[in-house]
Amino acid sequence: MADDLFEGLPPPSSNSIPQHHEQLQPQPEPIVISTTTTTNNDNNTDSSAVPAPKPILKSALKRPNPTQPDTRASAPKKSLMFKTTTDASEAQVIEAMQKISSHIKNPAKFSKAAKLAIQLIQAGSVKSEISNYFFAILEAAMSSSITCTDPSVRADYHSLFSAAQNTKEHLNKKQKNQLATWTINAVVANDLYTDDSFVFSKAAGQIKEAISNLPVGTEEEDAEEAKSLKDSTDMADEGGQTPATDKDNDREEADPFGLDALMPSSTKKGEKLKAKNEADVKIRKEDEEETKRFLKSQREALITCLEIAARRYKTPWCQTVIDILVKHAFDNVARFTARQRDAVGKLWASIREQQTRRKQGKSVNGKLDVNAFEWLQQKYASEKISIRHSVGASGDRRAQQWLG
């Protein structure tokens, strides 16, 4: 008894833990203390003894904190975002477009107005319902007193009409045709003023493709061109007064006394059929007129591009591209009208003359106007080739055949 105070007592159980601890956390495993036989030899132990359990941590006996809802998991993550666009109603967008249309005609305000129009396009404010107001902006821009190729507004015109390509789906057929013509004048023509040879070559390729897509000019178009030119000359001589046309006279003489209202009308069925036929004829006639107008404006825009390209012929790295471009236009000269064919012929004659002068080593702008290949061709044409096939003065074989 004196040696072992706990001899004969049952092992401690989990009942000794208070009940409020049992409700809050799982009960720890019961601790079993085995009795050992004390002998003089410390290494001799009872074979039936259970290994000593792991000690209980004090933290396991502590009352845990009451469970709290995880607010961080349920709450949405906050991120810093800046609002770059403003939700505007359709009436506000229309009002903004009308203001831009009124200011974009002014060359001093053109740059700012063009940037505002581009912002409307990028914000997706241009829709089919209000596309007419946006088209009025483009129409006002092209009717400005300053040309779209002027150096002061050239970049703004290029940006505006390049961005306007994203609004084609909201325009009707007539507006799409007009936008295509304006794009040639404002984008392709301005690309011809670039200092980048790749951009210049791309613009020349677009002009060649547009020329190839033109239909062959007809005698009717030549006659209409001559008539319109004569009418414009007569109007200038008469002070801008438009002469009365035959259609106006026919409309006045159709019912001079107003007796058509007293005549018995035909049946309703005949009237409906007649009205339908007249509507179909009117629509077909309008389509034909629109096609003619589109072809006329497109040909004029392409002639303008050819003239701009020809004026850059003094730049050495432009010469080869211009040669190919004007030659392509001359080969397809039948796709233009009579007056335009004369202009293309004159351009090609001018280019050929400058080519001849370059080959002769003469100057176009006061300097040696030859490119690198032509200069080397002239240099080595008089050189001698030795028997060891090296260019030098030791042989008597000339390099003309080698250089062609």
Side-chain angles (χ1 to χ4, degrees):
M1 295 295 290
D3 297 334
D4 189 358
L5 297 177
F6 299 100
E7 184 178 1
L9 295 177
S13 62
S14 59
N15 295 332
S16 60
I17 301 175
Q19 295 182 357
H20 62 272
H21 288 290
E22 295 177 358
Q23 298 176 359
L24 298 177
Q25 68 179 22
Q27 297 177 358
E29 296 179 359
I31 303 173
V32 180
I33 301 176
S34 61
T35 59
T36 58
T37 305
T38 56
T39 59
N40 295 329
N41 189 5
D42 295 338
N43 295 329
N44 187 11
T45 60
D46 191 359
S47 60
S48 62
V50 180
K54 296 180 180 179
I56 301 175
L57 298 177
K58 292 183 178 181
S59 61
L61 300 176
K62 290 183 179 180
R63 183 176 181 179
N65 294 330
T67 58
Q68 297 179 357
D70 192 1
T71 57
R72 290 180 294 179
S74 60
K77 295 182 179 180
K78 295 183 180 180
S79 59
L80 185 60
M81 296 179 64
F82 295 96
K83 192 174 182 181
T84 57
T85 59
T86 303
D87 296 333
S89 63
E90 184 175 321
Q92 292 175 336
V93 174
I94 292 175
E95 184 181 0
M97 289 182 178
Q98 290 176 345
K99 289 183 179 180
I100 294 174
S101 301
S102 61
H103 291 294
I104 204 168
K105 296 179 181 180
N106 188 354
K109 300 179 180 180
F110 181 85
S111 179
K112 184 176 180 180
K115 292 177 181 177
L116 293 176
I118 293 173
Q119 290 180 3
L120 289 177
I121 299 173
Q122 295 175 348
S125 301
V126 181
K127 300 179 182 178
S128 302
E129 296 80 7
I130 58 176
S131 59
N132 292 333
Y133 295 96
F134 175 75
F135 189 79
I137 296 176
L138 303 180
E139 191 174 8
M142 294 304 295
S143 62
S144 177
S145 59
I146 192 169
T147 60
C148 59
T149 56
D150 189 89
S152 60
V153 294
R154 188 183 299 162
D156 296 320
Y157 268 101
H158 191 284
S159 300
L160 174 60
F161 283 90
S162 296
Q165 304 303 312
N166 299 326
T167 63
K168 284 183 177 180
E169 58 183 5
H170 303 297
L171 305 178
N172 55 38
K173 180 181 178 181
K174 182 178 180 180
Q175 293 172 346
K176 287 180 181 179
N177 292 339
Q178 187 63 62
L179 179 60
T181 303
W182 288 340
T183 303
I184 296 176
N185 287 320
V187 178
V188 180
N190 284 327
D191 283 339
L192 296 174
Y193 289 99
T194 184
D195 293 333
D196 191 342
S197 60
F198 296 101
V199 176
F200 188 86
S201 299
K202 181 180 178 181
Q206 292 175 345
I207 297 171
K208 289 168 58 180
E209 183 180 359
I211 293 174
S212 300
N213 294 333
L214 289 175
V216 178
T218 60
E219 295 180 357
E220 183 181 356
E221 292 175 342
D222 295 342
E224 290 179 357
E225 182 185 41
K227 183 179 179 181
S228 62
L229 183 61
K230 182 180 179 181
D231 292 343
S232 61
T233 305
D234 295 341
M235 287 179 61
D237 296 339
E238 295 176 3
Q241 296 180 357
T242 305
T245 59
D246 296 337
K247 293 182 180 179
D248 297 336
N249 297 332
D250 293 341
R251 192 181 300 109
E252 293 176 358
E253 295 177 0
D255 188 18
F257 300 103
L259 298 178
D260 289 346
L262 303 177
M263 297 294 290
S265 60
S266 60
T267 61
K268 295 182 178 180
K269 184 177 180 181
E271 289 179 355
K272 291 182 179 179
L273 182 61
K274 182 179 179 181
K276 183 179 180 181
N277 293 335
E278 289 178 353
D280 294 341
V281 171
K282 184 178 180 181
I283 293 174
R284 194 181 305 112
K285 188 176 181 180
E286 289 178 354
D287 291 341
E288 292 177 356
E289 293 294 331
E290 172 60 24
T291 303
K292 291 180 181 179
R293 187 201 60 78
F294 171 62
L295 290 175
K296 179 182 178 181
S297 60
Q298 193 175 29
R299 284 167 175 158
E300 291 175 353
L302 292 174
I303 291 295
T304 302
C305 291
L306 291 174
E307 292 175 351
I308 294 173
R311 288 197 292 268
R312 296 212 61 192
Y313 198 78
K314 295 180 180 180
T315 306
W317 57 267
C318 295
Q319 293 170 357
T320 304
V321 179
I322 297 173
D323 291 343
I324 298 172
L325 175 61
V326 180
K327 179 65 166 58
H328 179 79
F330 183 75
D331 294 340
N332 295 272
V333 72
R335 302 180 185 275
F336 294 93
T337 58
R339 185 162 170 258
Q340 294 169 349
R341 287 196 291 268
D342 295 339
V344 174
K346 292 179 181 178
L347 284 176
W348 177 236
S350 175
I351 295 299
R352 290 187 62 184
E353 180 182 357
Q354 294 182 71
Q355 282 181 346
T356 304
R357 293 173 64 89
R358 288 201 346 257
K359 291 180 180 180
Q360 294 176 354
K362 296 181 180 179
S363 174
V364 176
N365 56 359
K367 299 180 181 179
L368 186 60
D369 193 14
V370 293
N371 55 32
F373 176 77
E374 292 171 347
W375 181 79
L376 292 173
Q377 188 179 31
Q378 294 175 4
K379 175 182 177 181
Y380 290 108
S382 58
E383 293 290 339
K384 297 178 181 180
I385 302 177
S386 65
I387 58 176
R388 296 180 179 84
H389 305 287
S390 60
V391 179
S394 59
D396 55 354
R397 298 181 182 179
R398 297 189 177 274
Q400 293 179 355
Q401 186 177 3
W402 169 52
L403 293 172

